[in-house]
Structures are given as C-alpha cells and as structure tokens.
Amino acid sequence: METIVFLFSFSALGVLYAMNSIPELQEPYVILGVGMAVLVLVFLFYFLITRGNPPKDVLFFVFAVFCFTCVIDLISALQQDGVVSGFMEFYEKTGEPYLGSAYAIMMCYWDGIVHFVMYLMMISRITDRKSYRTMGLFWAGSLCANMSVFIVGIVAGKYGLEIRPAFWINFVFLLLPVWATITLFIRAKDRPLIGGYNAHNVQTMNLIWRPQDLMLVLLLLAAMAFTLLRGLVALGSPLEACAVYLEQYEPYLSDPVGFPKVMMLHILFYGLPLLGSFVYGLLKPGCTWMPDWTMFFTGALIQCQWAHIGASLHSRTSAPFRIPGDSLCCVLMANVLYALVPILVALRVHSNPYFFLKIAPFPGQTGLPNSEEKDTKYKDK
C-alpha cells in the first residue's frame, strides 16, 4: 500500500501544472475551492481502493492524503529556490504569497522530505498491523509545531495584510494533527507501565549515581536558560543581555515576517514548562508520561530548529537579519546543541525505561494477588 501512496502522491505535479497553465484556475476563491476539492478527491481515491480490505486505523487516510500535499510542499520549496519552474508561480501571487519567505521554504522542505518519509513508514506499519505510536507522536509534535507557528506567524507578521482565501486550507493541516495527537496519546502504550525488580533497583539510586541522568539534567537547565533568553528577546525585553544577543548573535528574531518571534514565544510558553517537567521526570521515579511527552516535544523542537536555523541563513532573509559572520559558528553550535537536548533525553527514556515505570508490589505487599505479583515482579528480568 505504501508503494501505491508513494506513486499516487506524484499526481500532485499534474494538478499543479494544470492550475499554473489555466488562468481561470488562478483566481483566489477558485484556488481555495480547487484545493479543498482535491483533498476530498484524494481521500475518496484511497477510500475506494481500500474498500475490499479497509485499514484498521483511520489515520491511514490522514497520512495518505498528507503524502499528496507533501509533494506540493516540496515543489513549492524547490521552485522558490529556483531548482524547478512552471508549477507554482500562480500560487505565490494569488494563493499564499508568504510561501516565498525563508521560514516557509524551510518548512516546506521539512514537510516534503521528513514528513513524507514518515507517512510512508507509518502507512507501512498500519498495513502490516504493527504499532507506530512512538513515531506517530514524533510526527504529531513536528506537524503541530510546524502549523501553529506558520498560521500565527502569517497573521502576526508582515504578511497579515496579504491573507488570501487559500490561507484557510492551512487549518485542515492544523486541526487534523491535533486530533491525531489526541488519538495517539490515548492509545495503549507500546511498553508496559509496570516494572519489577530491575525497575526497583534503578529507582533507588540517587541522581549522583546516575551520571547520564545528571548530565541530562544540566543540559535541560541550560536549554531552559537559552529558551528564556530568546523568549525575552522576542518579547522585546530592554535587558542589556537581550539587546546584545539580538544585535550580535540572532538578529533574525526581529525579522518582520513574524515567524521567528512567534516560534520563540511558542517555545517559551509551551516548551519551557515541558523542559522543566523533564527535569522533574529525571529526578522523580515512576513518571510514566516521560516516554510520550519527550518524543512529542522532540519532534516539535527539531522541526522548529530546522526552520529557524535554515531561515536565518537563507538568502530570502534580508541581510540585516541573517546571522552575523563573526558569530556564525557560535550561533550554529548553540542552536544545534539546543536541538540535541530533547533528542538525548528521548533516547535515554526509550533505551532504558526502568526509571520511568511504576513499581509492582512485591509478594507480601498489598495491591495485587500473589500470582500477579510474581508475574509482574519478574516481567522485566
């Protein structure tokens, strides 16, 4: 099935070429109507070809339809960078002019490559009746962060006066991931939440005897400080440290396109509490929510950092807002390390989850019958 989805997704090239060649299809409201109609037709195509053997997971249709739009995003980015032509000229003029911004170009590359590959992998696992929950949470965090920053940035930035009817299509790509996120979070976890002997031993160790966790706590605290600094810069704080950072390191945070400012505020108000909760999760044993939320946040922050770093270096960003040459290495290193922190935390949580499990009562303790106690005690041996 993933092969069919892969091949059919490239029919988007024909749709784009036709719309770019027929002037009657380039009117603002016509673009909105055609866009919604195409999404419905793509859904109906997959619904009809799977009627004989319908997928067990309704998210299959979401992933399949989004594969189609991934090709459109990739073509948009390639055309903006001058790699291809003849597909999207009309759309930037009468559809979504903000797709020509550096942030949107980097966002489209991420969607057209990373998300496209993930959709095919998740469709493959759905077809094989295998779980994809962990990968799905990473995707959900990535796309939710992607679209929330994109939509708010359009309205709050310099493109707020250039909103055309096609803008409303973006809410499909925000609301469906939000629904998918809720669906994934309430599903049964891939791993048990109860640990026995091994979990008990790990959870009795102080942080000082867990050097890996100690290092991660320090990295998380540093990431929190960096998040706070950039959030204050985005808010226009008069502090001298904020003014120096904005002028000498990341002037892109004041770019009037609005996307970098909105992104920093998103990370400040949503990411900072999560980073703090991860510190708590590494200090307090038995936080069973850590595997899910670290994966979700990792997807969100990696996507944000990709778009932020790429846009601050892209030629579409005005020269005064790009990273100054004398601080380029420093800024890139800080941003890459910042993106690595949630990755390291997620790897730690998923590779050795004993610290984040609930302890099963041992024989003689209340809470479980003796037979169940023995089973759960030795479950993770």
Side-chain angles (χ1 to χ4, degrees):
M1 182 56 68
E2 64 271 17
T3 303
I4 296 175
V5 173
F6 174 79
L7 294 175
F8 182 77
S9 297
F10 284 93
S11 64
L13 299 177
V15 175
L16 292 175
Y17 184 80
M19 294 185 70
N20 200 59
S21 304
I22 303 174
E24 291 78 10
L25 298 179
Q26 299 174 11
E27 296 297 322
Y29 283 100
V30 175
I31 292 175
L32 173 62
V34 171
M36 295 302 296
V38 167
L39 292 178
V40 172
L41 289 174
V42 172
F43 165 76
L44 290 176
F45 169 79
Y46 288 116
F47 178 77
L48 292 174
I49 68 171
T50 58
R51 286 188 66 185
N53 184 23
K56 300 298 183 181
D57 193 331
V58 69
L59 289 181
F60 165 86
F61 297 105
V62 175
F63 301 150
V65 173
F66 280 11
C67 277
F68 186 90
T69 62
C70 282
V71 174
I72 296 176
D73 282 347
L74 182 58
I75 294 300
S76 174
L78 291 173
Q79 180 147 327
Q80 295 294 343
D81 280 342
V83 179
V84 300
S85 62
F87 292 97
M88 298 284 290
E89 286 88 349
F90 78 97
Y91 202 74
E92 184 178 353
K93 294 177 183 177
T94 57
E96 298 187 82
Y98 34 80
L99 288 179
S101 65
Y103 174 84
I105 293 172
M106 300 309 298
M107 179 196 77
C108 286
Y109 275 126
W110 183 268
D111 191 53
I113 298 173
V114 178
H115 286 163
F116 188 51
V117 172
M118 293 181 68
Y119 291 140
L120 294 176
M121 294 174 65
M122 290 189 288
I123 287 171
S124 175
R125 296 191 70 83
I126 290 174
T127 304
D128 295 337
R129 305 289 199 274
K130 296 180 180 178
S131 175
Y132 63 92
R133 187 174 181 275
T134 299
M135 184 188 301
L137 289 172
F138 181 93
W139 160 79
S142 175
L143 192 54
C144 286
N146 182 336
M147 294 310 302
S148 61
V149 171
F150 185 58
I151 291 175
V152 177
I154 293 169
V155 178
K158 72 175 185 179
Y159 292 103
L161 298 177
E162 299 185 49
I163 294 178
R164 313 287 168 76
F167 165 77
W168 300 104
I169 299 177
N170 291 300
F171 283 90
V172 175
F173 303 100
L174 175 64
L175 297 178
L176 283 179
V178 170
W179 168 70
T181 300
I182 297 171
T183 301
L184 291 168
F185 265 106
I186 63 179
R187 283 185 182 177
K189 296 180 182 291
D190 296 336
R191 295 181 177 183
L193 298 179
I194 304 297
Y197 182 75
N198 290 339
H200 176 76
N201 281 350
V202 171
Q203 294 184 16
T204 55
M205 298 173 64
N206 292 325
L207 183 64
I208 192 66
W209 302 113
R210 294 182 282 125
Q212 183 183 26
D213 290 352
L214 177 59
M215 181 61 66
L216 289 176
V217 167
L218 296 176
L219 288 173
L220 284 168
L221 293 175
M224 292 174 66
F226 191 55
T227 301
L228 181 60
L229 171 64
R230 296 204 298 183
L232 291 175
V233 170
L235 287 170
S237 171
L239 292 175
E240 182 178 356
C242 296
V244 170
Y245 187 81
L246 180 63
E247 179 181 354
Q248 299 183 12
Y249 294 96
E250 290 200 70
Y252 178 61
L253 295 178
S254 62
D255 192 322
V257 294
F259 298 119
K261 180 176 292 187
V262 170
M263 181 186 296
M264 293 305 115
L265 294 180
H266 270 61
I267 300 175
L268 175 66
F269 293 121
Y270 302 109
L272 185 60
L274 279 174
L275 290 170
S277 68
F278 296 157
V279 173
Y280 175 83
L282 290 170
L283 297 175
K284 178 72 173 178
C287 294
T288 57
W289 47 265
M290 280 284 282
D292 289 352
W293 281 102
T294 53
M295 189 57 61
F296 180 84
F297 182 70
T298 299
L301 194 63
I302 291 177
Q303 191 283 327
C304 286
Q305 285 298 103
W306 161 265
H308 179 73
I309 296 171
S312 62
L313 297 173
H314 200 277
S315 59
R316 287 293 181 96
T317 298
S318 302
F321 299 109
R322 295 181 210 159
I323 302 174
D326 54 352
S327 59
L328 179 62
C329 291
C330 178
V331 173
L332 289 180
M333 185 177 298
N335 277 275
V336 171
L337 288 175
Y338 184 63
L340 283 175
V341 171
I343 298 176
L344 295 175
V345 175
L347 288 174
R348 156 68 182 93
V349 173
H350 285 269
S351 64
N352 188 8
Y354 293 129
F355 188 78
F356 311 100
L357 301 176
K358 295 293 185 183
I359 298 295
F362 295 114
Q365 293 179 306
T366 59
L368 288 174
N370 284 341
S371 59
E372 292 183 28
E373 289 173 343
K374 291 178 182 178
D375 290 340
T376 54
K377 177 181 177 181
Y378 296 102
K379 181 182 294 185
D380 61 354
K381 272 197 171 183

